[in-house]
Amino acid sequence: MYPASLQELIEQFRRLPGVGEKTAERYALMIAEQPSEDAQRFADALIQVKQKLHHCPVCGNLTDEDTCSICRTESRDKGQIFVVQSAKDVSAMERTGEYNGVYHVLNGLISSSKGILPEDLNLEDLIQRARGAREVIIATSTTMDGETTAMYLDRLLKKECPEVLVTRIAHGLPSGGMLDYADEITLSHALQDRRKM
Amino acid sequence: MYPASLQELIEQFRRLPGVGEKTAERYALMIAEQPSEDAQRFADALIQVKQKLHHCPVCGNLTDEDTCSICRTESRDKGQIFVVQSAKDVSAMERTGEYNGVYHVLNGLISSSKGILPEDLNLEDLIQRARGAREVIIATSTTMDGETTAMYLDRLLKKECPEVLVTRIAHGLPSGGMLDYADEITLSHALQDRRKM
């Protein structure tokens, strides 16, 4: 239906997560209508990301430098390690401005459905770091795979570094959440983890 | 929050229509995780579109060739001209498989809010083409600007080429549309344009 060059761009946009035919068309037609320099800048950004971006060898976060900006910051508390699934989670947590420890990015979760085993997550590095820390906060999502990974990490850390405190982020009603809209698992967690006021 | 190269890619994605911060992050992180060749192919597609794609000098549709694939097709009926706002509309109409005439793509609509005047739409070409045709079907959207443009084109064509039949695509209830959900303008159009069964 469309000229080959436009069709190819539509297909590239379709590969993005959650993008269907109509949306990909809309994106590609916007590119077709904007100045060449803008498309060039977009193309450069795509290539730069692949050339520069890599995982921080210390914590697994994404970085353009030798180590990531958090690991480079002297004032961050190396005694507290916040374990997350991906770099996106680091960014979400940093936005709260409430945490001054460091991170450990697993870049995946143990998953029977996706065939991801504990061996695939480079957990030796985490154990190594945990040995020098006071606390490891497990902050994987409260999904099936997230909970599986959290349980596995808890057991592993208690075995390999028994002196470190292992904690899990709280489960409960989200801010603004209404009781009658919450599912049973959320509600039973909210009851179990209740605190004295 | 993110490394510079990733932040730049997020900003490029944010410039796409309807893409907010979270979505742009998701797109950029997917690119960061996929092989370099895929990002390279995406970058090439962006550049190719700007190098190859242009408006058909006959009808204004998008093409990689001298003229567009519809204008090049001998069997299309040059006596019928379907006037639309953009190349996207040509694609939508072609998907019906019901139309064998040619198109005229305005690449815009007369709009007081956007300051687009009739002079900006290259209507001389349309008049020229209409002189050799039997029918001009005005198929701009049923929005304010679409209707303004349709009325303007109707008057212009009746003045400049009085022998051509000027028609407007039907307004009415969409397929699967329910009467009680339709707005008043749609309903009053559906009543006015009713046909004998």
Side-chain angles (χ1 to χ4, degrees):
Chain A
M1 214 61 81
Y2 284 117
S5 66
L6 188 60
Q7 196 60 50
E8 165 68 11
L9 186 58
I10 291 171
E11 270 151 39
Q12 291 301 326
F13 276 123
R14 278 213 65 171
R15 303 183 61 250
L16 295 171
V19 173
E21 187 68 32
K22 288 259 173 191
T23 306
E25 262 180 46
R26 211 147 56 96
Y27 291 171
L29 284 165
M30 190 203 126
I31 300 288
E33 279 159 21
Q34 71 180 11
S36 290
E37 305 83 65
D38 291 1
Q40 185 65 56
R41 205 167 309 132
F42 199 158
D44 290 345
L46 283 163
I47 291 166
Q48 286 296 309
V49 149
K50 298 312 297 181
Q51 282 177 352
K52 291 190 179 166
L53 206 67
H54 58 93
H55 293 298
C56 171
V58 180
C59 75
N61 192 9
L62 289 169
T63 183
D64 285 345
E65 316 276 328
D66 291 342
T67 57
C68 80
S69 62
I70 293 166
C71 289
R72 278 202 312 278
T73 307
E74 283 294 325
S75 63
R76 306 287 302 219
D77 179 0
K78 307 281 192 294
Q80 237 180 356
I81 304 173
F82 196 89
V83 181
V84 293
Q85 178 185 355
S86 77
K88 215 166 14 184
D89 304 324
V90 172
S91 172
M93 192 60 195
E94 285 296 289
R95 273 195 284 264
T96 69
E98 297 271 327
Y99 181 66
N100 194 43
V102 291
Y103 292 89
H104 194 89
V105 184
L106 298 170
N107 290 306
L109 290 175
I110 299 168
S111 169
S112 51
S113 62
K114 292 182 197 147
I116 302 174
L117 301 170
E119 297 85 285
D120 301 322
L121 297 183
N122 186 19
L123 299 175
E124 288 85 47
D125 280 4
L126 175 61
I127 294 164
Q128 213 60 46
R129 296 180 74 200
R131 286 201 174 114
R134 293 189 316 282
E135 182 179 2
V136 175
I137 305 165
I138 301 176
T140 51
S141 300
T142 58
T143 56
M144 177 88 93
D145 291 347
E147 294 289 10
T148 307
T149 307
M151 274 196 297
Y152 183 89
L153 289 179
D154 180 39
R155 259 183 301 186
L156 183 73
L157 289 164
K158 281 191 176 130
K159 182 170 147 257
E160 298 288 334
C161 15
E163 60 297 328
V164 77
L165 173 68
V166 181
T167 58
R168 178 95 173 97
I169 48 160
H171 289 33
L173 224 56
S175 165
M178 289 196 287
L179 219 73
D180 56 344
Y181 280 92
D183 62 287
E184 311 86 89
I185 300 173
T186 301
L187 267 188
S188 70
H189 273 135
L191 177 68
Q192 279 160 34
D193 294 353
R194 70 191 180 280
R195 58 186 179 81
K196 206 162 177 298
M197 288 181 74
Chain B
M1 212 63 79
Y2 283 116
S5 66
L6 188 61
Q7 196 58 52
E8 165 68 12
L9 185 59
I10 291 171
E11 270 151 40
Q12 292 300 326
F13 276 122
R14 278 214 64 170
R15 302 183 61 251
L16 295 171
V19 173
E21 185 70 30
K22 288 259 172 191
T23 306
E25 264 180 43
R26 211 147 55 97
Y27 291 171
L29 284 165
M30 190 205 125
I31 299 287
E33 280 160 20
Q34 71 181 10
S36 289
E37 304 83 66
D38 291 1
Q40 185 65 54
R41 204 167 311 131
F42 198 160
D44 290 345
L46 283 163
I47 290 167
Q48 287 295 310
V49 149
K50 298 311 297 181
Q51 281 177 353
K52 291 191 178 162
L53 206 68
H54 58 92
H55 293 297
C56 171
V58 179
C59 76
N61 193 8
L62 289 169
T63 183
D64 284 345
E65 317 275 328
D66 292 343
T67 57
C68 81
S69 60
I70 293 165
C71 290
R72 279 201 313 275
T73 306
E74 283 294 325
S75 62
R76 305 284 305 215
D77 177 2
K78 306 283 193 292
Q80 237 181 356
I81 304 173
F82 196 89
V83 181
V84 293
Q85 178 186 353
S86 76
K88 211 162 23 181
D89 304 326
V90 172
S91 171
M93 192 62 193
E94 285 297 290
R95 272 196 284 263
T96 69
E98 296 271 328
Y99 181 66
N100 195 40
V102 291
Y103 291 89
H104 194 90
V105 184
L106 298 170
N107 289 308
L109 290 176
I110 299 168
S111 169
S112 52
S113 61
K114 292 182 196 145
I116 302 174
L117 300 170
E119 296 87 285
D120 301 322
L121 297 182
N122 186 19
L123 298 176
E124 288 85 47
D125 279 3
L126 175 61
I127 293 164
Q128 212 61 44
R129 298 180 74 199
R131 285 202 175 113
R134 294 188 316 282
E135 183 179 2
V136 176
I137 305 166
I138 302 175
T140 51
S141 300
T142 57
T143 56
M144 176 88 91
D145 292 346
E147 293 290 11
T148 306
T149 307
M151 275 197 295
Y152 182 90
L153 288 179
D154 180 41
R155 260 184 301 186
L156 182 74
L157 289 164
K158 280 190 176 131
K159 185 169 145 257
E160 298 287 335
C161 17
E163 61 296 327
V164 78
L165 173 66
V166 181
T167 58
R168 178 93 173 100
I169 48 160
H171 291 32
L173 224 54
S175 164
M178 289 197 285
L179 221 72
D180 56 343
Y181 280 91
D183 62 288
E184 309 87 89
I185 300 173
T186 301
L187 267 187
S188 71
H189 273 135
L191 177 68
Q192 281 162 32
D193 293 354
R194 69 189 180 281
R195 60 187 178 79
K196 207 165 176 296
M197 290 182 71

